[in-house]
Amino acid sequence: RGERMLDAHGGEEKSVEGMEEVYLGGWMAVRALFTGCYPALGHLLQNHYSARFSAHQGACSAILSPRLLRHHHTATQPQQKRISEIFGRPDVPASKLVAQLVQKLPGVPKDHEDVGVSMEELEKFAGWMFETHGERLNRLSPRKFESGRELFEVLAFPLEEILR
């Protein structure tokens, strides 16, 4: 409903009702994925990303969630299918639908460069996260990370690829 309301208002920031519906829908989608992957893994990564790069938590969710969903697709397929069904597009990956929704949200940073994070900084961050919190990341992750490099590749995966 929220996505349709935003579409009807052309993504105008004054569509408060549309934004509230998107927010509510987001929380419902997060609960649909409650598998130990998200929100726990996403929350851990987003808290550290937010602290490291001074990015708002909402921006962190917008930037990282589609990438994490994509990485965990095979391990959380039933839960992600539910998200796709909620969007009314059961044959479209949840990562793509979430990325498309984020693209419609006014005033929300959509990618790393929107919050001033370079690929070099992101790579250092991913290495540090894995080195410092790798065991915890993998406890929360249905699809384990093998290295900081792999985590970087997940976090840096091009949104254009997800949106195709």
Side-chain angles (χ1 to χ4, degrees):
R1 263 182 54 177
E3 183 180 20
R4 286 191 300 271
M5 287 178 168
L6 284 173
D7 286 344
H9 292 279
E12 294 176 27
E13 290 189 39
K14 59 187 169 193
S15 177
V16 175
E17 186 178 4
M19 288 187 283
E20 287 172 348
E21 288 292 327
V22 167
Y23 181 78
L24 176 62
W27 276 107
M28 289 178 183
V30 164
R31 294 298 148 219
L33 264 182
F34 201 85
T35 63
C37 164
Y38 196 95
L41 174 68
H43 190 72
L44 175 63
L45 280 165
Q46 291 165 17
N47 278 345
H48 285 284
Y49 186 100
S50 176
R52 172 69 64 94
F53 302 118
S54 298
H56 184 277
Q57 279 289 126
C60 298
S61 293
I63 293 165
L64 301 178
S65 293
R67 292 170 165 108
L68 292 172
L69 286 166
R70 179 193 161 276
H71 176 73
H72 289 96
H73 175 75
T74 56
T76 60
Q77 198 166 13
Q79 294 83 4
Q80 290 200 35
K81 179 83 167 166
R82 288 176 56 202
I83 291 173
S84 296
E85 288 169 352
I86 289 168
F87 273 94
R89 299 175 67 196
D91 297 325
V92 179
S95 58
K96 180 177 183 173
L97 293 170
V98 170
Q100 287 173 337
L101 176 60
V102 167
Q103 296 303 307
K104 295 177 183 180
L105 297 175
V108 175
K110 292 150 181 54
D111 212 343
H112 301 292
E113 59 268 6
D114 297 339
V115 292
V117 177
S118 70
M119 286 297 110
E120 181 180 330
E121 292 171 312
L122 186 64
E123 187 170 14
K124 287 178 187 175
F125 170 75
W128 174 83
M129 276 299 294
F130 188 80
E131 184 178 308
T132 308
H133 300 288
E135 184 179 324
R136 188 168 180 207
L137 286 171
N138 282 332
R139 264 197 331 264
L140 298 171
S141 181
R143 181 175 169 203
K144 308 300 181 216
F145 296 100
E146 299 294 325
S147 66
R149 180 72 192 167
E150 181 185 18
L151 179 58
F152 167 69
E153 290 170 358
V154 169
L155 299 180
F157 193 83
L159 282 179
E160 300 78 28
E161 294 289 322
I162 295 172
L163 288 165
R164 279 190 194 164

